[in-house]
């Protein structure tokens, strides 16, 4: 009998060429498909909620797979996969879900976190997980600029050139900037963005543009013009990948209880 | 004019064969001496407050060096060294101190932290900084066992075999166990030990023995017998290096104000 499982994954993206399988490259999806094949003897496609780029991390990526060769429960599948996976990829949770659940098509939203270190000395433990910006950032201006992005807009200006999506309209549900402190008292800025979906490189392009405002190169109102102009060439540079974490993927409420209602 | 500088260093020990210079090995001291040589043109010995082993980390190691070729202030020395050091070693603070200050001889105490994960799934970001212990630990028993180690004792039972020190008597000033939670809700146990000095492998041997008590293999009172027996072969196994951090080195109060008093 074919069954569908959802895996919640954490990974340190430093050593990987991103999520998606590529020839002659180590990828997260590739490591997972290899691990599943070692367990059940056949190659099975693993569907991710979306691709993460080379060097991007996940605290809770969501993936799904259909298996007809697994005779045990979902928790055992997760534990067994962890024994086959490299140390920088972990199955954090494993659940059996209604047959046909699809981690990409069924996703209704995602939340990302981007970590910036403002000035100060390089942290020898955190440099893989931060964009280290030298000089000061005016966080108040950045918050003002961010407010123009909330809601439903055409975000073509933040889409990586060369990518083609049917529509570049997305709804940003939350965009929060939080100041903090690193272990050594260095300034930290955390930017969290939640939307119904993201264009390719959208978070990193938003962050790169917000930092331009924080540096005083543009006024907060520039952000409004950017969105209206729909021109990628006007936006700020793409922020580097190592500061970015996929932290949550949302699905319609409780598919399992839905199914038990149907039954 | 010869001047003495103190450096406070943070490093991720994962990629290094420990502090001390060794032939054909990457070491923290080796990287520092190379960086100083690149700056001032001659090889100058760097004195550490003590050696850390391969894989052991530091949030605040202390080191000293004498320089007669540095014309600028201490902060500039620190910044210049950071441009020459690998990303996983940072000068966090740099100060000019009374001439002749010696990071090893003048140290009056040290504090170490050891991080344990109790059970749960491997954390893909923290595995380099934890000892992952499977199964449960009775932390109350471990606290009882730890209480026998406080104060001045002959700690020969925790000295690595083969090392020779004049005396194996040390004073443990603080030994604190703190339960916490990892990002994914995994159980965490942090053990901090402060003493006037440490024997080779002493912290890791104490931690290894405390974990034996936590696992229920020995009673807390076994710790008392261990210390009285002075026999390394009776103690628990040495805990792995990656959970250990040197977090503070103490010196007599304010050598600088002392000097200004003398002047």
């Amino acid at each position: 009998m074919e069954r569908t499982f959802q895996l919640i994954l954490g990974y340190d993206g430093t050593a990987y060429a991103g999520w998606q399988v590529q020839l002659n490259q180590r990828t997260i999806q590739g490591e997972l498909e290899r691990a599943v094949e070692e367990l059940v003897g056949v190659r099975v496609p693993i569907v991710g909620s979306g691709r993460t780029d080379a060097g991007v991390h996940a605290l809770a990526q969501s993936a799904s797979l259909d298996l007809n060769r697994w005779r045990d429960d979902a928790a055992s599948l997760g534990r067994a996969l962890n024994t086959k996976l490299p140390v920088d990829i972990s199955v954090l949770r494993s659940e059996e879900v209604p047959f046909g659940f699809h981690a990409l098509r069924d996703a209704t939203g995602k939340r990302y976190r981007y970590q910036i270190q403002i000035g100060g000395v390089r942290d020898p433990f955190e440099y893989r997980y931060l964009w280290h910006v030298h000089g000061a950032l005016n966080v108040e201006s950045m918050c003002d600029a961010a407010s123009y992005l909330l809601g439903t807009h055409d975000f073509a200006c933040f889409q990586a050139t060369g990518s083609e999506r049917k529509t570049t309209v997305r709804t940003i549900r939350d965009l929060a900037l939080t100041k903090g402190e690193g272990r050594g008292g260095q300034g930290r800025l955390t930017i969290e963005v939640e939307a119904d979906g993201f264009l390719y490189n959208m978070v990193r392009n938003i962050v790169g543009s917000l930092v331009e405002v924080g540096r005083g190169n543009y006024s907060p109102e520039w952000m409004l013009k950017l969105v209206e102009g729909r021109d990628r060439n006007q936006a700020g540079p793409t922020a580097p990948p190592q500061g970015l974490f996929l932290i949550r993927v949302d699905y319609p409420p409780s598919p399992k209880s839905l199914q038990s209602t149907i039954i």
Side-chain angles (χ1 to χ4, degrees), chain A:
Chain A
M1 191 191 74
E2 194 111 31
R3 301 155 74 192
T4 304
F5 296 91
Q6 182 190 16
L7 306 174
I8 303 298
L9 303 161
Y11 48 84
D12 180 334
T14 308
Y16 297 92
W19 169 266
Q20 196 177 31
V21 168
Q22 294 176 56
L23 201 64
N24 299 326
Q25 301 265 20
R26 284 187 77 207
T27 67
I28 313 290
Q29 190 188 31
E31 292 294 327
L32 282 162
E33 294 188 347
R34 180 196 50 69
V36 169
E37 185 171 3
E38 282 182 31
L39 270 189
V40 301
V42 290
R43 191 90 175 180
V44 172
I46 310 270
V47 176
S49 74
R51 306 171 187 178
T52 51
D53 271 341
V56 173
H57 318 289
L59 298 184
Q61 165 72 294
S62 161
S64 59
L65 71 165
D66 296 336
L67 281 181
N68 57 20
R69 299 191 173 215
W70 189 252
R71 303 276 166 257
D72 210 336
D73 63 12
S76 312
L77 174 65
R79 278 193 299 270
L81 284 174
N82 277 338
T83 67
K84 308 284 185 191
L85 285 167
V87 286
D88 43 11
I89 304 177
S90 279
V91 178
L92 304 175
R93 229 164 53 231
S94 166
E95 287 188 59
E96 186 162 2
V97 287
F99 180 69
F101 169 83
H102 192 277
L104 173 62
R105 279 197 309 262
D106 293 347
T108 55
K110 275 184 203 166
R111 193 173 178 94
Y112 282 95
R113 178 180 298 156
Y114 196 97
Q115 298 189 158
I116 292 173
Q117 178 181 332
I118 307 172
V121 171
R122 185 182 57 224
D123 183 315
F125 299 96
E126 295 287 329
Y127 66 91
R128 295 183 198 87
Y129 312 116
L130 290 168
W131 180 18
H132 191 167
V133 173
H134 298 277
L137 289 181
N138 184 332
V139 177
E140 286 68 38
S141 298
M142 294 172 75
C143 288
D144 291 346
S147 68
Y148 294 114
L149 301 178
L150 276 176
T152 304
H153 303 281
D154 184 336
F155 289 108
C157 67
F158 295 127
Q159 173 170 248
T161 41
S163 60
E164 284 299 330
R165 297 281 173 106
K166 274 181 226 156
T167 167
T168 47
V169 174
R170 296 289 185 276
T171 302
I172 294 188
R173 297 168 185 156
D174 189 28
L175 178 42
L177 284 75
T178 312
K179 281 174 86 166
E181 252 192 20
R183 205 174 347 222
Q186 314 94 326
R188 285 281 177 88
L189 177 63
T190 302
I191 301 175
E192 292 199 2
V193 198
E194 193 172 320
D196 58 347
F198 290 89
L199 304 167
Y200 185 58
N201 269 0
M202 180 167 154
V203 181
R204 289 164 57 193
N205 288 334
I206 288 176
V207 169
S209 299
L210 287 174
V211 165
E212 286 299 297
V213 173
R215 282 173 164 148
N217 295 338
Y218 296 96
S219 72
E221 292 70 32
W222 169 68
M223 198 59 79
L224 188 61
K225 284 184 210 134
L226 261 187
V227 174
E228 286 170 353
R230 305 184 64 254
D231 179 0
R232 171 70 189 95
N233 297 316
Q234 300 304 311
T238 307
Q242 80 276 3
L244 186 61
F245 293 76
L246 172 58
I247 63 170
R248 211 180 71 212
V249 184
D250 294 321
Y251 293 97
S254 191
K256 271 170 301 187
S257 59
L258 191 72
Q259 196 199 36
S260 57
T261 311
I262 293 167
I263 289 167

